[in-house]
Amino acid sequence: MRPPNLQRIGRRLVTLWHSLFAPGDLPTLIISVILLLMPAFSLNAAGWLLDMNTLIPVIVLSVVFGFLLARSQYNELVGLLIGAIYGGCLILLIAAINAPGDLGSGLYEVFTRSFQWLSDAVSGGINQDELVFTLLVAGLFWFLGYNLIWHLFRIDRVWRAVLPPALILITNSVYYTGSASLDMYLILFTFFTLLLIVRSNMEMREWEWYTNGMRVPRSLRNQVFRAGMVLAFVILSIAWLIPQNDAQDRLRQFQEFLASDPLIEMSELWNRLFASAETQGPTTADYYGGDSLQLGGAIRLGADEVFHVSTPPTRRYYWRSRVFDQYDNGRWTSAADIRLTDPEAPLDVVQEAYVTGSRVPVQQEFIMGLGASRLVYYAAQPSRIDLATRADLRYTGDSVNSMAISVVRPLRVLYQGDSYTVTSLISTASADQLRAAGTNYPVWVTNTYHGYIPTMTSRTVNLARQIVTEANATTPYDQARAVEAWLRVNITYNELIPTPPEGQDPIDWVLFDYREGYCNYYASAMVLMLRSLGVPARMAAGFSQGEWNAGLNSFVVRERDAHTWVEVYFPGYGWVDFEPTSAQAPLNRGDIPPTPESFPTNTPLPPTNTPTPLPTDTPPPTSTPEGQPTDAVGVQPPDVQATPTLTPSPTPTPTPTPFVLPTQPPPERPQPRSALSFILPALGVVFGLLMFTLALIVTAFLIYWWWEWRGMRGMNPIVRAYARLERYIGLLGIRTRAEQTPEERRQVIIGEIPAAEPPITAITRLYTAERYGTPRRSPAQQSKRDENADRAWTDTRSRIVRRWAKRTFLPFLPDDRKRGRRRRRSAGE
């Protein structure tokens, strides 16, 4: 009785399963998925902005497709090309499915954002799109999965399989500086790698035993795996307990390697195109030089000299390295969207329009004290920098289309002793002028620096409102002064605070729970509270002014002077500094800042805290710089800002006049002839050539399949060679009739292609014997005839293709058929 269809299907599935999977293959595939998930989970734990809903399916599918290709008959190149095509399509499809909306809108979003990222990458823009970063990482893991499975199941080279994902895992662990522990991912990766080594060695032994006729018990593989698990556990335990006395020296050497110029340039390119995690990366000894700032735990700063600044000691200075505009749950980032590279010195910064006399130009000369620096420091707001620079900025789009500078970097590393000069427009606005500035903010200010921040807690917002209400602060300036004074009184300065708890906004934790912090927390809290009140503010980072040295006639700035402060925007006056950190001397603009007594007793946090002295390795700034001249006329201490001599404007809304008033946006500056200026276009050209080559290979493969294999399934080599011959002669315009015998067709073909007569004759006679001759042949005889047919067809195909190419592309050359006819006529004569 014929079995039911369901049973036949079951037997076929079992047969298919056994044809694909050998004993031990399925556990190996599971281990492979786990190995790839370890670096993926490690990147996610380190804070890299990855969509795991896209990455995890890609990893699983890469293992599945890699296994199918490893079990196929394709060679390594063809398998790689097929895997790349399927991988690219599946990655885009999975990302589109995870995007909001339906599949069509998801695909549109994926392609739109990808092309925008590519455009910004080529044009020098700043684009840290998380979706594109996920796509690129998914593509990397797809090839890691293919490489892993191919080398395990096709070549059996374990180390080639596991080293690429191990490199990602180790690199991420070395760079990571956050609080999360990444050790477990490395331990699990090593454990399962040891299991793969056990599996590989077991299969090698099984093959040797099989070739020598030795019988292998079925339970041996499982026993070896269990023993391997125990051995791997013991090895990891011993490695964990071994002391590593020289680890610190090796880490220092590695950091010196990371400070090399090529890695720094690549790091800057990376930061321009990808949002970094909480990592240290390849940087020099710069401070606040990264594209993000994460509020964290304790800090320790030394006393090494960073730079000297020669400038008149007549006012209070801050040496800025960059500004941070956007806040998200303890993380500050920049709003810059353009990288402007100027290989020619100086860099002239287009300023916005200021009230006449509200800013004065001040020149500074910086002399670097550290071994190397990749940042340009300056007093805000810079107007001219005499260096070849690379600046991250955005154009404001106002009447003069001024530059909102985020950070300025030199095109080459500044080493110890190098110097440069900066001219800055420093504010001299008085308190009365700033009170009268009004709230007519430009659009570019309100779009970025104005309004409520989503991750800010409600009690932080309520605290800001209560402070300004109880201080009776009605103008933006008075509100800024009230918040500034409240922070200086109610938050204790402490550089050794613990890491903020997870799940709570760090600013909320400092304001209401811990009530201690250092400059990053003071400045962040003030910026958030002012924005909740509708006052535009941002955080500036760099160094406080340092100590005045009369012998050097300059300010000496050390590591311990690293600092963040607040800049508040006033229409007509631009960005103005505020100092909320209690360990720093207060700023004075001719007004009396609010005192603790001005806050009523029902303030949410009673003013019980007093500023504490700095740790012994971080002395507070002196109110009078060391060695400052006392007999100079009109000289004031550097920590007290000079009261301007201008008469305050009597009108509530001053009329600004620009320092620079161009009639059109500044011209686009030429790109520098540095390494990256060649690398990026070269990468684009290489990528285009690779895509073009891939398209040619795929097209050639499709053409080859169309002519060689279409409709040939099930034919033996002799019949297939004859069918291919009839198909290929169409390229030369040769037509045979259906009623012709194989021998008559042979005569027609060799009459047109006399040079191919021997292989065509061989194919025809083999086909005639196969089709019409006796079928009684031994396997050896049939195999020999099949080999002769394949060899004859290879020779025939090459001659037909050469003839077609000559007729198509070189028609002016003599024709073989005409030469053959001339030879026959000459022989007849």
Side-chain angles (χ1 to χ4, degrees), residues 382-404:
S383 64
R384 169 167 285 203
I385 301 174
D386 68 341
L387 274 177
T389 57
R390 183 184 297 114
D392 291 354
L393 54 90
R394 62 194 184 98
Y395 288 106
T396 61
D398 54 15
S399 59
V400 297
N401 202 21
S402 57
M403 300 177 181

Side-chain angles (χ1 to χ4, degrees), residues 77-388:
L77 178 59
V78 175
L80 181 62
L81 293 176
I82 295 176
I85 295 172
Y86 276 100
C89 295
L90 287 173
I91 291 171
L92 294 176
L93 181 61
I94 295 172
I97 292 174
N98 291 326
D102 56 15
L103 182 59
S105 60
L107 286 172
Y108 177 79
E109 180 178 0
V110 168
F111 281 106
T112 301
R113 292 168 66 175
S114 300
F115 283 124
Q116 181 61 47
W117 179 89
L118 184 61
S119 175
D120 291 335
V122 175
S123 63
I126 300 174
N127 189 326
Q128 299 177 342
D129 196 318
E130 301 172 12
L131 172 63
V132 178
F133 182 60
T134 298
L135 294 177
L136 294 176
V137 173
L140 172 63
F141 273 88
W142 178 274
F143 283 104
L144 288 178
Y146 172 83
N147 177 78
L148 178 68
I149 299 301
W150 185 272
H151 283 89
L152 285 180
F153 290 94
R154 191 68 171 261
I155 306 178
D156 196 16
R157 295 292 185 270
V158 178
W159 293 114
R160 295 183 188 178
V162 300
L163 280 179
L167 181 61
I168 295 177
L169 184 60
I170 295 173
T171 304
N172 182 59
S173 300
V174 170
Y175 282 141
Y176 181 64
T177 60
S179 58
S181 177
L182 305 182
D183 295 338
M184 184 55 62
Y185 303 108
L186 187 58
I187 293 173
L188 289 176
F189 185 90
T190 307
F191 177 78
F192 286 106
T193 298
L194 293 176
L195 290 186
L196 284 183
I197 296 174
V198 171
R199 173 253 184 199
S200 176
N201 282 275
M202 182 61 194
E203 289 199 346
M204 291 175 61
R205 296 296 177 268
E206 285 183 346
W207 177 252
E208 291 179 0
W209 295 335
Y210 173 78
T211 55
N212 291 299
M214 300 176 61
R215 184 176 176 273
V216 181
R218 292 186 177 181
S219 60
L220 181 61
R221 179 183 290 267
N222 294 332
Q223 294 175 5
V224 171
F225 254 90
R226 286 195 293 267
M229 293 176 65
V230 174
L231 182 61
F233 179 79
V234 172
I235 292 174
L236 290 175
S237 300
I238 295 175
W240 184 266
L241 297 176
I242 292 177
Q244 299 180 1
N245 297 327
D246 59 343
Q248 192 63 33
D249 293 337
R250 295 188 178 183
L251 180 61
R252 178 183 54 79
Q253 295 174 2
F254 182 70
Q255 291 295 337
E256 292 177 355
F257 164 73
L258 295 180
S260 59
D261 286 356
L263 288 182
I264 293 172
E265 292 191 6
M266 293 305 299
S267 174
E268 293 178 2
L269 176 63
W270 176 275
N271 290 331
R272 179 168 64 87
L273 300 178
F274 304 108
S276 300
E278 197 171 337
T279 56
Q280 55 191 1
T283 59
T284 52
D286 293 327
Y287 301 88
Y288 302 109
D291 287 329
S292 64
L293 185 149
Q294 180 75 39
L295 298 180
I299 58 172
R300 296 181 182 273
L301 298 174
D304 292 342
E305 294 183 1
V306 180
F307 52 79
H308 297 176
V309 188
S310 298
T311 192
T314 56
R315 62 187 73 252
R316 175 74 168 272
Y317 294 104
Y318 291 101
W319 316 118
R320 196 171 80 185
S321 62
R322 68 171 312 134
V323 295
F324 294 104
D325 315 289
Q326 300 167 335
Y327 178 85
D328 182 16
N329 194 26
R331 187 184 187 89
W332 283 98
T333 56
S334 169
D337 56 6
I338 295 175
R339 174 158 291 181
L340 181 63
T341 303
D342 189 354
E344 304 280 338
L347 168 65
D348 290 318
V349 180
V350 180
Q351 298 287 337
E352 59 181 303
Y354 298 125
V355 171
T356 303
S358 63
R359 289 186 178 268
V360 296
V362 176
Q363 189 177 78
Q364 317 114 60
E365 182 183 6
F366 289 80
I367 302 176
M368 305 312 299
L370 288 177
S373 174
R374 267 285 179 179
L375 289 176
V376 174
Y377 300 93
Y378 49 83
Q381 303 295 323
S383 64
R384 169 167 285 203
I385 301 174
D386 68 341
L387 274 177

Side-chain angles (χ1 to χ4, degrees), residues 594-670:
T595 60
E597 292 75 14
S598 65
F599 296 106
T601 57
N602 62 347
T603 302
L605 292 182
T608 57
N609 299 332
T610 57
T612 59
L614 293 171
T616 55
D617 62 340
T618 310
T622 57
S623 57
T624 304
E626 178 184 343
Q628 179 176 329
T630 58
D631 57 347
V633 178
V635 173
Q636 302 178 9
D639 63 336
V640 179
Q641 184 150 350
T643 304
T645 57
L646 300 172
T647 302
S649 175
T651 58
T653 306
T655 302
T657 57
F659 273 89
V660 181
L661 188 58
T663 57
Q664 57 184 1
E668 193 173 320
R669 298 179 183 273

